[in-house]
């Protein structure tokens, strides 16, 4: 597969984010545009950011920035210098109760997908730690293991997206990513080194059952994650088109809003039951889509949109335990 590659400049690498509604962060940094992992389900190509940049990306040789996701990568080489300048001049640091002032690398690309992005990510993390910022890494890549000397830090948490433990299924859905078996092994190495860890159980395909979730959680608890995020595959819009183009016919039954919402709720119930069975319910953090409004009680949705995660950062060590107030989808 031919990859359209190059570099690009940006004005400010540090952007405020609404991802506090997923308990992830208050700021995001993206070290590149595009992502060569090319996960078929990825929501990023459908975001307003990519849609608004389609003319720009076409000028760089990308014919269809949404359907060609995985076939282009433009590195932001000047990011570390601009990040330093931004942090020096920044007077107010935004913190929400759920976002905790955390900076996420990355929301729109994988920070450790190749050596180029890994090098920039390392410099960005060093800069953020120099300014005493909290950092969240989210990746499917393995190169973060080369940076344990800086990632083993109380102000850093490293997470990997592992929606299942089936390497064969992974090759169908996320062909450009390292298989789940290697991601799990990487997390075990990170745990041994003393790294703070979490897992994104996302997005889970429709064939995952209660029994699958129980097996999964029993295994994933070996790495002692501080939190486990969860959401199912969204097969509507461009996401669904790319999955169908990849031959993933199993998503056909969940391509309408009604069937998608029904499936979301069913898997949500199964995931919570599995977590209760394996004794890790308090570590779960659900990512409910805003379009579940009308299908799920609004109090449950709002609880998850504004709830801090079970992770403890230095300023939040004594945060209120909301476990007993937790509403159940079941």
């Amino acid at each position: 597969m031919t990859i359209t590659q190059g570099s690009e400049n940006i004005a400010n690498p540090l952007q405020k984010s609404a991802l506090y509604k997923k308990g992830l962060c208050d700021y995001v940094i993206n070290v590149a545009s595009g992502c060569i992992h090319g996960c078929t389900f990825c929501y990023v190509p459908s975001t307003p950011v990519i849609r608004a940049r389609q003319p720009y990306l076409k000028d760089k040789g990308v014919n269809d920035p949404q359907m060609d996701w995985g076939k282009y990568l433009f590195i932001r080489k000047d990011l570390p210098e601009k990040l330093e300048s931004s942090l020096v001049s920044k007077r107010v640091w935004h913190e929400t109760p759920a976002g905790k002032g955390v900076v996420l690398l990355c929301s729109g690309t994988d920070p450790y997908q190749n050596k180029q992005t890994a090098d920039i990510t390392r410099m960005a993390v060093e800069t953020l730690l120099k300014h005493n910022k909290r950092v969240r890494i989210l990746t499917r890549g393995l190169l973060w293991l080369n940076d344990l000397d800086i990632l083993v830090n109380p102000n850093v948490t490293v997470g990997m997206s592992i929606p299942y433990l089936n390497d064969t299924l992974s090759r169908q859905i996320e062909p450009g990513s390292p298989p789940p078996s290697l991601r799990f092994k990487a997390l075990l190495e990170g745990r041994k080194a003393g790294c703070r860890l979490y897992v994104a159980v996302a997005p889970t395909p429709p064939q995952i059952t209660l029994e699958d979730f129980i097996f999964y959680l029993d295994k994933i608890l070996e790495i002692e994650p501080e939190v486990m995020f969860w959401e199912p595959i969204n097969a509507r819009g461009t996401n669904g088109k790319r999955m169908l183009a990849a031959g993933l016919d199993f998503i056909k039954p969940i391509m309408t809003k009604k069937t998608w919402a029904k499936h979301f709720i069913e898997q949500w119930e199964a995931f919570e039951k599995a977590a209760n069975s394996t004794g890790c319910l308090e570590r779960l953090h659900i990512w409910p889509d805003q379009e579940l409004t009308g299908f799920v009680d609004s109090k449950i949705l709002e609880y998850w949109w504004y709830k801090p995660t079970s992770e403890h950062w230095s300023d939040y060590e004594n945060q209120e335990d909301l476990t007993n107030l937790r509403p159940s989808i079941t």
Side-chain angles (χ1 to χ4, degrees):
M1 179 177 67
T2 301
I3 305 293
T4 302
Q5 299 190 62
S7 61
E8 68 174 14
N9 297 321
I10 53 170
N12 184 4
L14 184 69
Q15 299 294 323
K16 283 176 65 175
S17 172
L19 289 177
Y20 63 86
K21 287 191 175 181
K22 287 193 169 187
L24 283 172
C25 61
D26 281 317
Y27 291 91
V28 296
I29 291 174
N30 285 297
V31 299
S33 288
C35 182
I36 57 177
H37 278 171
C39 299
T40 57
F41 54 75
C42 188
Y43 72 91
V44 175
S46 303
T47 60
V49 172
I50 295 295
R51 292 202 304 269
R53 302 186 81 220
Q54 285 191 113
Y56 165 82
L57 290 170
K58 286 183 177 181
D59 285 344
K60 282 185 164 284
V62 183
N63 293 326
D64 189 336
Q66 294 190 59
M67 292 302 292
D68 289 342
W69 186 252
K71 299 177 182 178
Y72 60 94
L73 183 68
F74 300 103
I75 306 294
R76 296 173 173 177
K77 295 180 179 180
D78 61 347
L79 186 149
E81 294 80 8
K82 288 189 174 179
L83 177 60
E84 171 67 24
S85 177
S86 176
L87 291 171
V88 167
S89 62
K90 198 166 185 59
R91 295 291 176 261
V92 178
W93 192 256
H94 179 68
E95 293 190 19
T96 63
K100 303 177 184 177
V102 172
V103 182
L104 171 68
L105 286 96
C106 299
S107 63
T109 190
D110 193 301
Y112 283 103
Q113 60 190 286
N114 65 8
K115 188 178 185 304
Q116 287 178 295
T117 58
D119 288 345
I120 295 172
T121 296
R122 181 184 175 91
M123 288 186 282
V125 172
E126 288 176 327
T127 301
L128 289 165
L129 293 178
K130 170 186 169 184
H131 289 270
N132 199 33
K133 303 305 180 186
R134 304 185 188 104
V135 180
R136 184 186 299 281
I137 301 293
L138 179 57
T139 182
R140 280 178 161 81
L142 307 175
L143 295 177
W144 62 275
L145 291 173
N146 296 332
D147 290 347
L148 287 174
D149 59 310
I150 63 169
L151 297 182
V152 178
N153 185 299
N155 267 351
V156 179
T157 182
V158 178
M160 300 200 77
S161 297
I162 307 181
Y164 32 67
L165 296 171
N166 185 323
D167 286 359
T168 301
L169 182 60
S170 175
R171 293 280 63 78
Q172 295 177 280
I173 300 177
E174 42 184 354
S177 301
S181 59
L182 292 184
R183 288 178 239 167
F184 179 75
K185 183 179 178 182
L187 287 170
L188 285 175
E189 290 186 41
R191 177 198 167 202
K192 184 178 180 180
C195 202
R196 297 184 61 187
L197 301 173
Y198 70 97
V199 177
V201 192
T204 52
Q207 61 265 51
I208 302 297
T209 66
L210 172 61
E211 290 72 24
D212 294 324
F213 280 137
I214 291 174
F215 173 81
Y216 175 98
L217 291 173
D218 270 334
K219 186 71 174 176
I220 218 72
L221 284 171
E222 292 179 25
I223 66 158
E224 300 180 358
E226 295 182 22
V227 62
M228 291 176 282
F229 297 100
W230 174 82
E231 69 178 344
I233 272 180
N234 183 343
R236 294 170 297 144
T238 307
N239 304 42
K241 291 178 182 178
R242 280 186 283 108
M243 283 187 271
L244 286 178
L248 304 179
D249 291 341
F250 59 74
I251 55 93
K252 286 182 178 179
I254 58 169
M255 293 186 72
T256 68
K257 184 174 182 178
K258 185 176 181 180
T259 57
W260 161 80
K262 180 176 182 292
H263 163 67
F264 198 126
I265 295 167
E266 289 174 350
Q267 271 208 341
W268 187 344
E269 291 175 348
F271 192 55
E272 287 197 351
K273 286 179 181 177
N276 192 50
S277 174
T278 53
C280 61
L281 193 62
E282 75 284 353
R283 301 192 201 191
L284 297 195
H285 197 95
I286 307 300
W287 284 339
D289 195 293
Q290 301 235 3
E291 292 197 21
L292 285 174
T293 302
F295 295 97
V296 175
D297 188 313
S298 61
K299 291 182 180 179
I300 297 177
L301 297 178
E302 290 175 6
Y303 171 86
W304 287 112
W305 291 338
Y306 301 107
K307 180 188 183 302
T309 65
S310 56
E311 302 157 305
H312 291 298
W313 300 85
S314 57
D315 293 346
Y316 293 86
E317 286 297 334
N318 297 316
Q319 65 178 316
E320 181 183 2
D321 183 0
L322 299 177
T323 303
N324 295 328
L325 304 177
R326 183 182 186 280
S328 174
I329 189 66
T330 59

